[in-house]
Amino acid sequence: MNETQKVKGPASYFPSIEKTYGKPIQHWQDIVRQQEGKSHMQIVALLKADHGLGHGHANAIVAATLAEQKS
C-alpha cells in the first residue's frame, strides 16, 4: 500500500477495533447512529461504559460516524 492508498484519520483505527472487539465497524456505527441528540463525548462515554471500548477506539468510531452524517 503506498501513501496515496493509506487510510488516514479515524478510519485508520477500524481494523484494530474489529480485531480487538470482534465486531464489524457497522455494529459500532449502528449504535452511534441510535444516539440522536447526544454530543460526541456523550456517545464516546456510552461506548466506553456500556461496551468496554477504549477511549481512542470509541472516539474514532464516533468521529467517523458523525462526520459521514454531516456530509
Side-chain angles (χ1 to χ4, degrees):
M1 193 179 280
N2 66 35
E3 285 300 311
T4 58
Q5 294 173 316
K6 253 189 182 168
V7 176
K8 296 180 181 178
S12 67
Y13 286 90
F14 288 1
S16 175
I17 292 167
E18 289 180 334
K19 182 179 178 185
T20 301
Y21 304 103
K23 302 230 185 256
I25 291 302
Q26 185 67 45
H27 168 81
W28 303 113
Q29 289 184 315
D30 289 345
I31 293 170
V32 171
R33 290 183 189 110
Q34 294 169 5
Q35 308 307 312
E36 279 190 52
K38 292 186 180 173
S39 73
H40 177 109
M41 290 311 295
Q42 287 174 319
I43 302 170
V44 169
L46 175 128
L47 290 174
K48 291 169 60 177
D50 293 359
H51 301 281
L53 272 69
H55 182 82
H57 286 164
N59 192 55
I61 293 166
V62 175
T65 306
L66 295 181
E68 85 181 12
Q69 291 177 343
K70 289 180 182 177
S71 50

